[in-house]
Amino acid sequence: MRQIKLADGTQLPALGLGTWRIGESRAGRAAELAAIRHAIDIGYRLFDTAEMYGEGGAETLLGQALGDALRAGAVTRDELFIVSKVYPHNATRRGTAQACERSLRRLGLARIDLYLLHWAGPTPFAETIDALQALVETGRIGRWGVSNLDIDEMREIETLAPGLCATDQVYYSASQRGPEFSLLPWLREHAMPMMAYSPIDQGGLANDQTLATIGHARGVTAAQVALAWVLAQPGVVAIPKAVRPAHLEQNLAAAQMALTEEELRRIDARFPPPDRKQPLGML
Ligand code: NAP
Protein backbone atom coordinates (compact mmCIF):
# COMPACT_ATOMS: atom_id res chain seq x y z
CA MET A 1 0.00 0.00 0.00
CA ARG A 2 1.37 3.42 -0.96
CA GLN A 3 1.94 5.60 2.09
CA ILE A 4 1.35 9.36 2.35
CA LYS A 5 3.43 11.45 4.73
CA LEU A 6 1.88 13.93 7.11
CA ALA A 7 3.84 17.10 7.94
CA ASP A 8 4.88 15.56 11.30
CA GLY A 9 6.49 12.64 9.43
CA THR A 10 3.77 10.08 10.21
CA GLN A 11 3.03 7.76 7.31
CA LEU A 12 -0.53 6.79 6.57
CA PRO A 13 -1.96 4.52 3.91
CA ALA A 14 -3.24 6.26 0.78
CA LEU A 15 -6.43 4.15 1.01
CA GLY A 16 -8.67 3.95 4.06
CA LEU A 17 -12.20 2.85 4.82
CA GLY A 18 -15.10 5.26 5.38
CA THR A 19 -17.89 4.47 7.82
CA TRP A 20 -20.69 6.91 6.99
CA ARG A 21 -24.08 5.13 6.99
CA ILE A 22 -22.85 2.15 8.96
CA GLY A 23 -23.93 1.50 12.54
CA GLU A 24 -27.32 3.03 11.84
CA SER A 25 -29.54 -0.02 12.22
CA ARG A 26 -29.56 -3.32 14.07
CA ALA A 27 -30.45 -5.10 10.85
CA GLY A 28 -27.14 -4.25 9.16
CA ARG A 29 -24.98 -4.81 12.22
CA ALA A 30 -23.66 -8.35 11.63
CA ALA A 31 -22.75 -7.66 8.00
CA GLU A 32 -21.09 -4.35 8.92
CA LEU A 33 -19.03 -5.91 11.71
CA ALA A 34 -17.98 -8.69 9.35
CA ALA A 35 -17.09 -6.09 6.70
CA ILE A 36 -14.77 -4.15 9.01
CA ARG A 37 -13.15 -7.36 10.22
CA HIS A 38 -12.70 -8.48 6.61
CA ALA A 39 -11.20 -5.09 5.81
CA ILE A 40 -8.64 -5.52 8.61
CA ASP A 41 -7.86 -9.08 7.54
CA ILE A 42 -7.15 -8.06 3.95
CA GLY A 43 -4.98 -5.09 4.94
CA TYR A 44 -7.00 -1.92 5.62
CA ARG A 45 -5.36 0.08 8.41
CA LEU A 46 -6.89 3.56 8.11
CA PHE A 47 -10.50 4.01 9.26
CA ASP A 48 -12.54 7.20 9.01
CA THR A 49 -15.51 7.83 11.28
CA ALA A 50 -17.29 10.69 13.10
CA GLU A 51 -19.52 11.28 16.09
CA MET A 52 -22.17 12.26 13.54
CA TYR A 53 -22.31 8.87 11.76
CA GLY A 54 -25.31 7.05 13.17
CA GLU A 55 -25.11 9.49 16.11
CA GLY A 56 -22.26 7.46 17.56
CA GLY A 57 -23.42 4.17 16.04
CA ALA A 58 -20.58 4.02 13.51
CA GLU A 59 -17.94 4.67 16.19
CA THR A 60 -19.48 1.99 18.42
CA LEU A 61 -19.54 -0.56 15.62
CA LEU A 62 -16.02 0.32 14.47
CA GLY A 63 -14.83 0.09 18.07
CA GLN A 64 -16.32 -3.36 18.46
CA ALA A 65 -14.75 -4.60 15.23
CA LEU A 66 -11.35 -3.11 16.12
CA GLY A 67 -11.54 -4.54 19.64
CA ASP A 68 -12.29 -8.02 18.27
CA ALA A 69 -9.42 -7.79 15.80
CA LEU A 70 -6.98 -6.46 18.41
CA ARG A 71 -7.90 -9.21 20.89
CA ALA A 72 -7.55 -11.85 18.17
CA GLY A 73 -4.08 -10.50 17.30
CA ALA A 74 -5.13 -9.76 13.70
CA VAL A 75 -3.61 -6.29 13.99
CA THR A 76 -1.80 -4.17 16.58
CA ARG A 77 -2.98 -0.77 17.76
CA ASP A 78 0.15 0.89 16.38
CA GLU A 79 -0.62 -0.41 12.90
CA LEU A 80 -4.05 1.25 12.93
CA PHE A 81 -4.76 4.89 12.08
CA ILE A 82 -8.15 6.01 13.36
CA VAL A 83 -9.77 9.25 12.23
CA SER A 84 -12.85 10.74 13.89
CA LYS A 85 -14.59 14.12 13.84
CA VAL A 86 -16.22 16.55 16.21
CA TYR A 87 -19.53 18.17 15.31
CA PRO A 88 -19.16 21.95 14.79
CA HIS A 89 -21.81 22.61 17.44
CA ASN A 90 -19.65 20.71 19.96
CA ALA A 91 -16.39 22.38 18.94
CA THR A 92 -16.08 24.77 21.88
CA ARG A 93 -13.25 24.56 24.43
CA ARG A 94 -15.19 22.24 26.78
CA GLY A 95 -17.45 20.68 24.17
CA THR A 96 -14.53 19.41 22.07
CA ALA A 97 -12.93 17.66 25.04
CA GLN A 98 -16.25 16.10 26.05
CA ALA A 99 -17.07 14.97 22.50
CA CYS A 100 -13.61 13.45 22.19
CA GLU A 101 -14.06 11.48 25.43
CA ARG A 102 -17.42 10.15 24.18
CA SER A 103 -15.84 9.12 20.87
CA LEU A 104 -12.94 7.41 22.65
CA ARG A 105 -15.37 5.50 24.84
CA ARG A 106 -17.44 4.36 21.87
CA LEU A 107 -14.31 3.38 19.95
CA GLY A 108 -12.85 1.60 22.98
CA LEU A 109 -9.54 3.36 22.36
CA ALA A 110 -7.19 5.47 24.45
CA ARG A 111 -6.25 7.68 21.50
CA ILE A 112 -7.76 8.95 18.23
CA ASP A 113 -4.91 9.30 15.76
CA LEU A 114 -6.43 12.19 13.83
CA TYR A 115 -9.37 14.28 15.07
CA LEU A 116 -11.10 16.62 12.65
CA LEU A 117 -13.42 19.59 12.94
CA HIS A 118 -16.22 18.19 10.74
CA TRP A 119 -17.12 21.54 9.16
CA ALA A 120 -16.97 25.22 10.12
CA GLY A 121 -19.55 26.18 12.75
CA PRO A 122 -20.35 28.93 15.23
CA THR A 123 -17.22 28.59 17.39
CA PRO A 124 -14.21 30.69 16.33
CA PHE A 125 -11.43 28.52 14.89
CA ALA A 126 -9.01 29.85 17.54
CA GLU A 127 -11.10 28.36 20.36
CA THR A 128 -11.48 24.98 18.64
CA ILE A 129 -7.76 24.88 17.87
CA ASP A 130 -6.93 25.55 21.54
CA ALA A 131 -9.19 22.68 22.54
CA LEU A 132 -7.65 20.36 19.93
CA GLN A 133 -4.10 21.29 20.96
CA ALA A 134 -4.99 20.53 24.59
CA LEU A 135 -6.13 17.05 23.48
CA VAL A 136 -2.81 16.53 21.68
CA GLU A 137 -0.95 17.54 24.83
CA THR A 138 -2.86 15.03 26.98
CA GLY A 139 -2.39 12.32 24.33
CA ARG A 140 -6.13 11.81 23.75
CA ILE A 141 -5.54 12.57 20.06
CA GLY A 142 -2.39 12.13 18.00
CA ARG A 143 -3.00 15.23 15.86
CA TRP A 144 -5.86 17.27 14.47
CA GLY A 145 -7.17 18.53 11.17
CA VAL A 146 -10.27 19.97 9.54
CA SER A 147 -12.91 19.00 7.01
CA ASN A 148 -14.98 20.86 4.42
CA LEU A 149 -12.84 24.02 4.63
CA ASP A 150 -11.92 25.91 1.48
CA ILE A 151 -8.72 27.82 0.83
CA ASP A 152 -9.59 31.07 2.65
CA GLU A 153 -10.51 29.18 5.81
CA MET A 154 -7.36 27.06 5.47
CA ARG A 155 -5.29 30.25 5.29
CA GLU A 156 -6.96 31.39 8.52
CA ILE A 157 -6.22 28.03 10.21
CA GLU A 158 -2.58 28.22 9.07
CA THR A 159 -2.23 31.76 10.43
CA LEU A 160 -3.67 30.73 13.79
CA ALA A 161 -1.66 27.51 14.11
CA PRO A 162 1.23 27.39 11.63
CA GLY A 163 2.15 23.84 10.68
CA LEU A 164 -0.24 22.16 13.13
CA CYS A 165 -3.25 21.25 10.98
CA ALA A 166 -2.62 17.76 9.56
CA THR A 167 -5.20 17.58 6.78
CA ASP A 168 -8.35 18.92 5.15
CA GLN A 169 -10.93 16.24 4.35
CA VAL A 170 -13.05 17.33 1.39
CA TYR A 171 -15.35 16.00 -1.31
CA TYR A 172 -13.09 15.04 -4.20
CA SER A 173 -13.63 12.60 -7.03
CA ALA A 174 -13.18 12.40 -10.81
CA SER A 175 -16.47 14.28 -11.21
CA GLN A 176 -15.84 16.73 -8.34
CA ARG A 177 -12.50 18.26 -9.31
CA GLY A 178 -13.07 21.77 -7.93
CA PRO A 179 -10.39 21.44 -5.19
CA GLU A 180 -7.71 21.10 -7.91
CA PHE A 181 -8.01 24.77 -8.84
CA SER A 182 -6.45 26.30 -5.72
CA LEU A 183 -7.12 24.26 -2.56
CA LEU A 184 -5.15 21.14 -3.48
CA PRO A 185 -2.07 23.10 -4.67
CA TRP A 186 -2.19 25.14 -1.44
CA LEU A 187 -2.39 21.97 0.68
CA ARG A 188 0.56 20.48 -1.22
CA GLU A 189 2.61 23.64 -0.64
CA HIS A 190 1.90 23.24 3.08
CA ALA A 191 2.72 19.50 3.15
CA MET A 192 -0.87 18.75 4.16
CA PRO A 193 -2.33 15.66 2.50
CA MET A 194 -5.93 16.09 1.36
CA MET A 195 -8.34 13.34 2.39
CA ALA A 196 -10.81 12.69 -0.44
CA TYR A 197 -14.27 11.73 0.75
CA SER A 198 -16.95 10.17 -1.45
CA PRO A 199 -14.19 9.30 -3.98
CA ILE A 200 -16.61 7.21 -6.05
CA ASP A 201 -19.46 9.71 -5.65
CA GLN A 202 -21.34 7.53 -3.19
CA GLY A 203 -21.29 4.74 -5.73
CA GLY A 204 -22.46 6.97 -8.62
CA LEU A 205 -19.22 6.67 -10.60
CA ALA A 206 -19.67 2.90 -10.69
CA ASN A 207 -22.17 3.58 -13.50
CA ASP A 208 -20.05 5.96 -15.57
CA GLN A 209 -19.69 4.72 -19.15
CA THR A 210 -16.23 6.21 -19.82
CA LEU A 211 -14.79 4.74 -16.63
CA ALA A 212 -16.50 1.42 -17.38
CA THR A 213 -14.94 1.31 -20.86
CA ILE A 214 -11.46 2.05 -19.45
CA GLY A 215 -12.02 -0.58 -16.78
CA HIS A 216 -13.33 -3.17 -19.21
CA ALA A 217 -10.06 -3.12 -21.15
CA ARG A 218 -8.16 -3.79 -17.92
CA GLY A 219 -10.60 -6.30 -16.42
CA VAL A 220 -11.61 -3.96 -13.60
CA THR A 221 -14.77 -2.02 -12.76
CA ALA A 222 -15.65 1.64 -13.34
CA ALA A 223 -15.56 2.21 -9.56
CA GLN A 224 -12.00 0.87 -9.41
CA VAL A 225 -10.93 3.25 -12.20
CA ALA A 226 -12.59 6.15 -10.33
CA LEU A 227 -10.70 5.25 -7.17
CA ALA A 228 -7.39 4.67 -8.98
CA TRP A 229 -7.81 8.14 -10.50
CA VAL A 230 -8.18 9.80 -7.06
CA LEU A 231 -5.20 7.84 -5.76
CA ALA A 232 -3.11 8.91 -8.75
CA GLN A 233 -3.24 12.52 -7.49
CA PRO A 234 -0.14 13.32 -5.40
CA GLY A 235 -0.76 14.04 -1.73
CA VAL A 236 -4.30 12.62 -1.74
CA VAL A 237 -5.68 9.95 0.60
CA ALA A 238 -9.00 8.30 -0.36
CA ILE A 239 -11.49 6.87 2.11
CA PRO A 240 -14.22 5.03 0.16
CA LYS A 241 -16.93 3.39 2.22
CA ALA A 242 -17.71 -0.23 1.39
CA VAL A 243 -19.55 -3.00 3.18
CA ARG A 244 -19.72 -5.64 0.48
CA PRO A 245 -16.63 -7.90 0.62
CA ALA A 246 -16.17 -7.68 -3.16
CA HIS A 247 -16.11 -3.87 -2.95
CA LEU A 248 -13.56 -3.92 -0.11
CA GLU A 249 -11.33 -6.20 -2.17
CA GLN A 250 -11.78 -4.28 -5.42
CA ASN A 251 -10.93 -1.00 -3.73
CA LEU A 252 -7.75 -2.43 -2.26
CA ALA A 253 -6.79 -3.72 -5.71
CA ALA A 254 -7.53 -0.27 -7.19
CA ALA A 255 -4.90 1.18 -4.85
CA GLN A 256 -2.30 -0.91 -6.72
CA MET A 257 -3.36 0.26 -10.18
CA ALA A 258 -1.35 2.79 -12.18
CA LEU A 259 -3.42 4.51 -14.86
CA THR A 260 -1.63 5.20 -18.15
CA GLU A 261 -1.22 8.68 -19.64
CA GLU A 262 -3.78 7.73 -22.27
CA GLU A 263 -6.31 6.61 -19.65
CA LEU A 264 -5.74 9.82 -17.65
CA ARG A 265 -6.33 11.86 -20.85
CA ARG A 266 -9.62 10.07 -21.46
CA ILE A 267 -10.73 10.78 -17.89
CA ASP A 268 -9.74 14.45 -18.33
CA ALA A 269 -11.86 14.61 -21.49
CA ARG A 270 -14.86 13.13 -19.65
CA PHE A 271 -14.34 15.16 -16.45
CA PRO A 272 -12.30 18.27 -17.33
CA PRO A 273 -10.18 19.87 -14.59
CA PRO A 274 -11.59 23.19 -13.26
CA ASP A 275 -10.62 26.34 -15.19
CA ARG A 276 -11.84 28.66 -12.43
CA LYS A 277 -12.55 28.62 -8.71
CA GLN A 278 -15.63 26.57 -7.83
CA PRO A 279 -17.36 26.42 -4.46
CA LEU A 280 -16.29 23.43 -2.41
CA GLY A 281 -18.77 20.57 -2.79
CA MET A 282 -20.19 19.20 0.44
CA LEU A 283 -22.24 16.13 1.23
P1 NAP B 1 -18.20 6.66 -1.45
O1 NAP B 1 -17.14 6.05 -0.66
O2 NAP B 1 -17.83 7.44 -2.67
O3 NAP B 1 -19.27 5.57 -1.90
C1 NAP B 1 -19.79 4.59 -1.05
C2 NAP B 1 -20.79 3.75 -1.85
O4 NAP B 1 -20.11 3.16 -2.95
C3 NAP B 1 -21.40 2.60 -1.06
O5 NAP B 1 -22.73 2.49 -1.48
C4 NAP B 1 -20.60 1.39 -1.49
O6 NAP B 1 -21.37 0.19 -1.48
C5 NAP B 1 -20.26 1.75 -2.91
N1 NAP B 1 -18.98 1.16 -3.33
C6 NAP B 1 -17.83 1.11 -2.62
N2 NAP B 1 -16.86 0.47 -3.31
C7 NAP B 1 -17.44 0.12 -4.51
C8 NAP B 1 -16.97 -0.57 -5.63
N3 NAP B 1 -15.71 -1.02 -5.71
N4 NAP B 1 -17.84 -0.77 -6.68
C9 NAP B 1 -19.11 -0.30 -6.62
N5 NAP B 1 -19.61 0.36 -5.57
C10 NAP B 1 -18.78 0.57 -4.52
O7 NAP B 1 -19.12 7.64 -0.56
P2 NAP B 1 -19.18 8.08 0.97
O8 NAP B 1 -19.50 6.95 1.85
O9 NAP B 1 -20.04 9.28 0.98
O10 NAP B 1 -17.69 8.60 1.29
C11 NAP B 1 -16.69 7.77 1.86
C12 NAP B 1 -16.40 8.15 3.30
O11 NAP B 1 -15.95 9.49 3.39
C13 NAP B 1 -17.62 8.13 4.22
O12 NAP B 1 -18.01 6.81 4.58
C14 NAP B 1 -17.10 8.95 5.38
O13 NAP B 1 -16.23 8.18 6.19
C15 NAP B 1 -16.33 10.05 4.63
N6 NAP B 1 -17.17 11.25 4.39
C16 NAP B 1 -16.82 12.42 5.02
C17 NAP B 1 -17.57 13.56 4.84
C18 NAP B 1 -17.18 14.82 5.57
O14 NAP B 1 -17.98 15.76 5.62
N7 NAP B 1 -15.98 14.90 6.12
C19 NAP B 1 -18.69 13.57 3.98
C20 NAP B 1 -19.00 12.39 3.31
C21 NAP B 1 -18.22 11.25 3.51
P3 NAP B 1 -21.36 -0.91 -0.28
O15 NAP B 1 -21.24 -0.18 1.00
O16 NAP B 1 -22.65 -1.61 -0.49
O17 NAP B 1 -20.19 -1.84 -0.48
Side-chain angles (χ1 to χ4, degrees), residues 63-85:
Q64 189 179 333
L66 295 176
D68 290 348
L70 288 165
R71 278 189 295 279
V75 71
T76 64
R77 175 65 184 93
D78 287 349
E79 290 171 315
L80 294 167
F81 193 90
I82 309 301
V83 183
S84 193
K85 313 184 194 82

Side-chain angles (χ1 to χ4, degrees), residues 106-127:
R106 287 189 289 260
L107 287 162
L109 298 175
R111 180 188 77 243
I112 290 168
D113 298 300
L114 174 60
Y115 197 41
L116 309 181
L117 171 63
H118 208 147
W119 63 90
T123 308
F125 288 146
E127 181 177 338

Side-chain angles (χ1 to χ4, degrees), residues 20 48 147-148 169 198 200 202 239 241 243-244 247 251:
W20 192 18
D48 178 80
S147 179
N148 295 302
Q169 183 179 115
S198 309
I200 42 185
Q202 305 203 297
I239 47 165
K241 175 260 183 186
V243 164
R244 283 176 242 199
H247 289 165
N251 294 349

Side-chain angles (χ1 to χ4, degrees), residues 51-52 55 86-92 95-96 102 117 119-123:
E51 63 170 329
M52 184 189 107
E55 292 303 327
V86 58
Y87 262 129
H89 63 254
N90 284 335
T92 57
T96 304
R102 289 193 297 271
L117 171 63
W119 63 90
T123 308

